[in-house]
Amino acid sequence: MDKQVHKFILQLADNELILGHRISEWCGHGPALEQDIALTNIALDHVGQARLFYQLAAEMEGNGKTEDDYPYKRLETSFYNVQLVEHENIDFGYTIVRSFFYDHFYYFLLDQLTKSKHTALANIAKSAIKEVKYHLRYSSEWMRRLGDGTEESHRRVQQAVHDLYPYTGEMFLPSTADEHMKEAYGIDCASIKEQWLTAVKEILHEATLELPDGSWFHKGGKEGVHTEKLGYILTELQYIQRAYPNMQW
Amino acid sequence: MEASMEQKFQEKIDNDIRIEPKDWMPEKYRKTLIRQISQHAHSEIVGMLPEGNWITRAPNLRRKVALLAKVQDEAGHGLYLYSACETLGIERTELIDQLHTGKAKYSSIFNYPTLTWADMGTIGWLVDGAAIMNQVPLCRCSYGPYARAMVRVCKEESFHQRQGYELLLTLSKGTPEQKEMLQESVNRWWWPALMMFGPNDADSPHTAQSMAWKIKRFTNDELRQRFVDMCVEQAEILGVSLPDPDLKWNEERGHYDFGEINWDEFWNVVRGNGPCNKDRINTRVKAHENGQWVRDAASAYAKKQSEKKSVSVA
Ligand SMILES: [Fe+2]
Ligand SMILES: [Fe+2]
């Protein structure tokens, strides 16, 4: 098994799982019934994509591993998602901004993956990108509505942009697994940065919003160093498996 | 004039001709339907909360996805039912306001807490199961939009029921801890599920009129009896006991006899004293209030866009 490819797959899977977990927290609490349904739908897509990646990782590893071993039986230092996706749903604006930043990155990454020589990854990417196009449209439309809506919505969403932007740099900062993917398969997360900035800025402009000037970015998620929030997420996510180990559900 | 309209209306009902939104209908019929459909819609929405509790804690990814999809279905049911209700000349905002101020009710079952993972299965089996018993006859309800909404809702509810039962079946084949979790959950939910059919027929004053209008097809006690008969066998397969010492087969009636429901508890939960009444409403109100700025932003944005459009057209 190629360990670096395996880790790259876990990076993808963990991003999808943790973001899906966060968005699923909205279920039953959305700002309107239609948004409740849409957010739940998006959470379902994210968790569904996480499953595809975990299944692939399990298949690569063999020895009886299943999709559930990764989300339920690893400790926080063995999760490789970027820190951005761990952030709480402070309000609907934070949820949208978090997705908006992530969806753009993920879209461009999947776009590269659809063309890669790694057939299994390319196949997942081809089906996943269809869902991500919808996520991207959803988060972008809400950026416009909130940014160019009322004074209050503008203020709130601008604050979220300001607070979450420092967590975006990590997406483009190659981990050792990313370096390997670049050499072996031409998948280059660093090269996405420019495309990402152009796309994000264009929509922010329409939304009358601005990126902060800062050039300082947090990092560590891809190497297993997270924010304090991940521990709480896993406490909830893994509760049953920890309390009742080795059972079928 | 009114009397002959009413007579014609009743003739249509007697001949199983559907009543549609634009048709004339007695004011009481309209009011009864608004009350019933909105109560049903509210139940779907409030019902998302007890199960939503466990989405982030589901024990594996397959169950997590199934639970998310189920709760999403309930939101969808709420949406069609609010739309069906709006055809009777009332707006969703007003209906939601009635829920938040306590003027409208929702199914009391959702005022009980979900305390263990097994509750996700028990709710599917018993709560969705009882809902199906109540709702399948509504697919033939005299009011067209309600009947059509129910066709789709019932299909999904029966899927929920099978899914819940399958979850319990897995527990029933599991470890002693899992079997205990299953039994404990059934013990808590059995009686509240029987209460879902409402008061005994003798204490249900609206039943006769609703049956004449074909909004209702069977009485509360008829439906409750069917439900009990169905569950006994399913409980045996799960290897769980139902918490009722009086439950036994009655050869003469061809049905199971069962014990008396605790009507004191029933009325108390209806009056707001259930374990979760306050939590549920507070949670709904909070979601609505926290969403205000989002809804305001959406309408402000839509207004700006349409102004821009009309300027560019001119
Ligand atoms: Fe439902
Ligand atoms: Fe259901």
Side-chain angles (χ1 to χ4, degrees):
Chain A
M1 178 185 83
D2 188 330
K3 276 200 170 150
Q4 294 302 334
V5 175
H6 191 258
K7 186 182 165 235
F8 174 78
I9 293 169
L10 291 181
Q11 286 176 194
L12 294 170
D14 294 344
N15 280 341
E16 287 297 289
L17 177 73
I18 302 301
L19 185 59
H21 180 98
R22 275 300 189 213
I23 297 175
S24 79
E25 293 172 354
W26 276 104
C27 188
H29 309 274
L33 193 45
E34 287 79 358
Q35 299 326 313
D36 212 305
I37 293 172
L39 287 169
T40 306
N41 217 356
I42 291 170
L44 267 168
D45 287 347
H46 285 302
V47 179
Q49 292 192 21
R51 290 183 74 185
L52 297 176
F53 291 123
Y54 286 135
Q55 285 161 8
L56 179 58
E59 207 177 288
M60 281 175 76
E61 202 170 336
N63 63 34
K65 275 263 156 73
T66 75
E67 59 171 0
D68 291 319
D69 287 322
Y70 303 103
Y72 288 97
K73 297 183 185 168
R74 280 179 303 157
L75 299 173
E76 41 276 63
T77 46
S78 316
F79 271 76
Y80 303 123
N81 57 278
V82 292
Q83 294 178 356
L84 174 69
V85 296
E86 298 162 15
H87 276 78
E88 295 107 330
N89 303 311
I90 293 171
D91 64 20
F92 184 73
Y94 276 82
T95 296
I96 291 299
V97 172
R98 187 183 58 204
S99 280
F100 173 70
F101 285 156
Y102 173 79
D103 293 342
H104 275 89
F105 160 76
Y106 188 45
Y107 174 80
F108 292 125
L109 186 67
L110 284 178
D111 186 48
Q112 290 190 13
L113 282 169
T114 56
K115 298 163 203 152
S116 87
K117 302 191 297 284
H118 195 295
T119 336
L121 272 175
N123 286 339
I124 295 177
K126 277 176 204 157
S127 75
I129 202 164
K130 291 178 206 148
E131 291 173 353
V132 176
K133 272 184 197 160
Y134 163 70
H135 303 166
L136 196 63
R137 202 165 61 227
Y138 182 84
S139 58
S140 303
E141 273 171 13
W142 274 105
M143 287 301 285
R144 294 188 191 96
R145 283 191 196 111
L146 299 179
D148 194 18
T150 63
E151 239 169 78
E152 182 183 4
S153 69
H154 179 87
R155 178 175 52 75
R156 282 177 182 263
V157 76
Q158 181 62 66
Q159 186 66 45
V161 167
H162 184 271
D163 290 351
L164 292 176
Y165 181 62
Y167 291 91
T168 57
E170 190 187 0
M171 300 188 290
F172 316 106
L173 188 71
S175 64
T176 41
D178 291 328
E179 298 283 8
H180 176 75
M181 287 304 291
K182 185 180 170 188
E183 279 159 35
Y185 297 100
I187 304 301
D188 183 5
C189 67
S191 72
I192 292 172
K193 174 118 198 191
E194 281 311 306
Q195 288 171 289
W196 182 87
L197 255 183
T198 310
V200 159
K201 277 186 176 163
E202 192 184 311
I203 293 162
L204 286 177
H205 178 74
E206 291 172 40
T208 70
L209 295 166
E210 279 168 10
L211 280 184
D213 314 319
S215 56
W216 163 257
F217 294 105
H218 298 277
K219 61 181 184 200
K222 289 178 181 179
E223 306 297 357
V225 179
H226 294 279
T227 68
E228 290 178 345
K229 299 160 183 71
L230 185 67
Y232 291 100
I233 293 176
L234 297 183
T235 302
E236 225 173 303
L237 188 120
Q238 299 178 340
Y239 153 66
I240 294 179
Q241 292 282 355
R242 300 280 182 208
Y244 303 88
N246 304 317
M247 299 184 197
Q248 296 301 312
W249 300 93
Chain B
M1 170 69 186
E2 184 86 345
S4 75
M5 295 288 264
E6 188 133 7
Q7 206 171 6
K8 265 195 201 149
F9 172 83
Q10 191 61 47
E11 271 166 25
K12 271 164 98 177
I13 300 234
D14 295 341
N15 291 317
D16 283 324
I17 296 170
R18 284 271 162 84
I19 308 301
E20 294 299 334
K22 291 206 174 86
D23 298 347
W24 185 88
M25 61 185 84
E27 206 38 41
K28 263 188 77 189
Y29 177 84
R30 185 192 302 276
K31 288 228 168 85
T32 302
L33 276 171
I34 289 179
R35 186 171 45 80
Q36 183 172 335
I37 301 173
S38 67
Q39 211 169 48
H40 189 168
H42 299 327
S43 302
E44 301 285 355
I45 301 307
V46 177
M48 295 168 72
L49 301 175
E51 289 184 277
N53 267 337
W54 282 87
I55 289 170
T56 52
R57 287 180 289 173
N60 60 42
L61 295 179
R62 182 173 77 91
R63 295 284 182 204
K64 187 188 287 291
V65 166
L67 183 59
L68 258 170
K70 186 197 166 180
V71 180
Q72 190 195 27
D73 284 348
E74 308 301 3
H77 299 168
L79 202 57
Y80 327 136
L81 287 164
Y82 283 127
S83 306
C85 205
E86 284 184 322
T87 64
L88 291 158
I90 186 162
E91 298 220 344
R92 205 211 292 181
T93 47
E94 191 179 340
L95 296 170
I96 287 175
D97 201 53
Q98 291 175 353
L99 171 69
H100 293 173
T101 55
K103 202 180 149 212
K105 299 270 176 239
Y106 55 89
S107 178
S108 278
I109 194 76
F110 301 118
N111 290 318
Y112 288 86
T114 48
L115 304 177
T116 69
W117 171 251
D119 291 355
M120 296 305 98
T122 311
I123 288 181
W125 176 39
L126 297 178
V127 175
D128 287 277
I132 295 165
M133 270 306 161
N134 274 326
Q135 290 169 16
V136 166
L138 291 174
C139 300
R140 293 187 294 133
C141 164
S142 58
Y143 188 58
Y146 192 27
R148 287 188 289 273
M150 290 321 295
V151 171
R152 192 162 160 197
V153 168
C154 283
K155 250 185 231 160
E156 293 180 351
E157 299 299 8
S158 65
F159 179 72
H160 298 164
Q161 199 220 4
R162 283 201 302 277
Q163 191 170 269
Y165 191 75
E166 188 265 332
L167 192 162
L168 296 182
L169 211 51
T170 308
L171 295 181
S172 76
K173 293 174 187 152
T175 63
E177 290 100 312
Q178 287 174 305
K179 288 178 188 161
E180 200 185 309
M181 190 192 276
L182 162 61
Q183 181 66 60
E184 189 274 338
S185 174
V186 171
N187 291 349
R188 270 184 294 114
W189 289 96
W190 175 249
W191 289 106
L194 294 193
M195 293 178 197
M196 286 176 71
F197 297 94
N200 285 138
D201 296 346
D203 303 313
S204 179
H206 302 301
T207 296
Q209 179 63 77
S210 286
M211 299 215 10
W213 278 335
K214 294 190 182 168
I215 294 174
K216 218 170 164 152
R217 299 269 179 170
F218 302 97
T219 71
N220 295 352
D221 287 329
E222 284 169 348
L223 292 167
R224 186 161 23 231
Q225 181 68 60
R226 281 196 206 175
F227 180 70
V228 171
D229 291 345
M230 177 189 85
C231 288
V232 172
E233 204 178 301
Q234 294 174 344
E236 268 166 33
I237 297 170
L238 291 175
V240 287
S241 60
L242 297 172
D244 178 358
D246 297 324
L247 187 71
K248 61 172 182 297
W249 179 249
N250 182 326
E251 191 65 55
E252 218 169 288
R253 292 203 308 126
H255 289 293
Y256 282 90
D257 289 338
F258 54 97
E260 183 69 14
I261 285 172
N262 181 345
W263 294 112
D264 187 42
E265 176 180 328
F266 174 87
W267 289 113
N268 259 300
V269 181
V270 170
R271 282 188 209 109
N273 298 327
C276 301
N277 296 56
K278 289 193 180 66
D279 267 5
R280 300 291 185 240
I281 289 298
N282 288 346
T283 304
R284 284 312 313 160
V285 169
K286 197 171 144 222
H288 189 72
E289 286 173 354
N290 288 344
Q292 189 65 50
W293 71 273
V294 178
R295 298 190 299 276
D296 289 347
S299 44
Y301 178 79
K303 198 170 157 236
K304 283 185 202 175
Q305 290 304 104
S306 74
E307 279 165 8
K308 266 186 210 162
K309 230 178 244 165
S310 60
V311 169
S312 70
V313 168

